[in-house]
Amino acid sequence: MILTTSTLTGLFSALLRSAVAVILVAFLISVVAIAGVVVYGASIFTALLVVAGFNLGLIAAALGYVLFGGGTRRA
């Protein structure tokens, strides 16, 4: 569930097509992951899973743009 949520977060932030939005979401996800480890005693593996899921979402969006043309129209 953690991997799915963070993957979809990465995918939807990549769909915003703004580098600032992707950086902001990545920062917020890392803050939440670190707070989960420090404050609530979550495992380091869980924090790494959140970061890996976010990156997987970004990679999925990039592959979608490459494979399906990124919304550009062909003449």
Side-chain angles (χ1 to χ4, degrees):
M1 188 68 182
I2 293 171
L3 185 63
T4 304
T5 304
S6 60
T7 301
L8 289 176
T9 304
L11 180 65
F12 290 137
S13 67
L15 292 177
L16 293 174
R17 296 182 184 200
S18 169
V20 175
V22 172
I23 291 169
L24 182 63
V25 170
F27 174 73
L28 292 174
I29 283 181
S30 61
V31 166
V32 167
I34 291 170
V37 170
V38 172
V39 176
Y40 297 108
S43 67
I44 301 286
F45 178 72
T46 304
L48 292 176
L49 197 61
V50 168
V51 173
F54 179 74
N55 290 329
L56 185 64
L58 292 177
I59 291 169
L63 283 175
Y65 283 127
V66 169
L67 295 177
F68 300 113
T72 59
R73 296 184 183 181
R74 296 183 183 178

